[in-house]
Amino acid sequence: MERVKLEVPEYKSTISVEEAIAGRKSRRAFKHDAIKRREFALLVWAASKAPSAGATYPLELYLVIGAGAVEHIEPGVYHVENGYLEPHKDGDLRVELATACLRQMFIADASFSIVITAEYERTTRRYGERGIRYVHIEAGHVSQNIYLECEALGLATVAIGAFDDDEVAKVLNLPEAHKPIYVMPIGVKI
Ligand SMILES: Cc1cc2nc3c(=O)[nH]c(=O)nc-3n(C[C@H](O)[C@H](O)[C@H](O)COP(=O)(O)O)c2cc1C
């Protein structure tokens, strides 16, 4: 696995934000086509552009990428860090991820999944208990950005909240401080 620089692509879609909102829905069927590098970069960009309470930025994104599923990117788990995808764990782990999501096996058909995790401490340090609420709200913002960007690109996604936290952490080999909140499988729409 190699470190991947995330280019910031030109962001201009052919549909309006209103059309994306109107067309958005949860889609659980995916073609096995590879996602184009530009589309991939746009999705990671969109996921990173959400507001954050007090700019505490508690969320950390991990990507579970399948074999031959994203143009020019090797399969594996990557961590999004400062404009790069840092290799985190080897191998196509889509089936393991789907299994950890209470056997919602359609997740394994997606080209890749964005797993939204949080380091709660960054926000609770400042806001106490209320910070927990803020972290969850922020995950919702990221998820909605992904939904709308998928709609703009003709891709399919669905928010997954039903999973075994420990199993997802194990499959991704997450550091103890990064708690999984949401899984967003993404693929080409059927
Ligand atoms: C917090 C949350 C958790 C969800 N978890 C799952 C899930 O585990 N599996 C799934 O198939 N859909 C899941 N969904 C998607 C909902 O089923 C979907 O949004 C709902 O049926 C409305 O359909 P729509 O998104 O097409 O408007 C979840 C949605 C939210 C907001």
Side-chain angles (χ1 to χ4, degrees):
M1 282 170 87
E2 279 177 17
R3 182 183 208 224
V4 179
K5 183 161 175 50
L6 283 167
E7 62 276 24
V8 180
E10 197 189 327
Y11 37 87
K12 207 148 185 62
S13 290
T14 50
I15 70 168
S16 67
V17 71
E18 293 82 4
E19 285 168 318
I21 291 169
R24 184 214 62 82
K25 63 176 187 165
S26 295
R27 303 174 200 273
R28 301 175 181 80
F30 310 97
K31 273 194 204 164
H32 286 179
D33 299 9
I35 301 270
K36 300 208 167 30
R37 205 36 202 270
R38 173 180 174 274
E39 295 172 342
F40 175 75
L42 276 166
L43 277 158
V44 178
W45 168 81
S48 312
K49 291 296 283 178
S52 174
T56 50
Y57 296 106
L59 303 181
E60 295 287 337
L61 304 179
Y62 288 83
L63 307 181
V64 176
I65 299 181
V70 180
E71 247 180 18
H72 312 308
I73 300 189
E74 294 166 84
V77 180
Y78 294 82
H79 180 212
V80 180
E81 272 178 66
N82 305 320
Y84 285 88
L85 297 187
E86 295 291 347
H88 185 74
K89 188 176 173 183
D90 261 330
D92 184 338
L93 296 169
R94 290 178 295 178
V95 169
E96 287 81 352
L97 178 64
T99 305
C101 294
L102 312 185
R103 298 197 173 77
Q104 300 187 71
M105 297 317 290
F106 59 82
I107 294 169
D109 294 328
S111 300
F112 72 106
S113 286
I114 299 179
V115 180
I116 304 171
T117 77
E119 189 168 324
Y120 286 90
E121 249 286 299
R122 291 184 199 155
T123 309
T124 54
R125 198 184 291 141
R126 169 125 29 129
Y127 297 108
E129 281 281 291
R130 200 169 183 83
I132 296 169
R133 175 196 301 216
Y134 291 164
V135 169
H136 297 160
I137 291 170
E138 288 184 32
H141 291 307
V142 171
S143 167
Q144 186 73 356
N145 274 9
I146 295 168
Y147 262 117
L148 295 180
E149 190 60 47
C150 277
E151 205 53 45
L153 296 172
L155 301 175
T157 193
V158 53
I160 302 291
F163 54 81
D164 182 312
D165 295 4
D166 293 339
E167 285 301 316
V168 168
K170 201 154 84 186
V171 169
L172 272 69
N173 195 22
L174 293 176
E176 182 58 30
H178 294 180
K179 308 293 188 198
I181 300 184
Y182 236 173
V183 176
M184 303 289 298
I186 295 162
V188 176
K189 213 193 282 186
I190 286 185

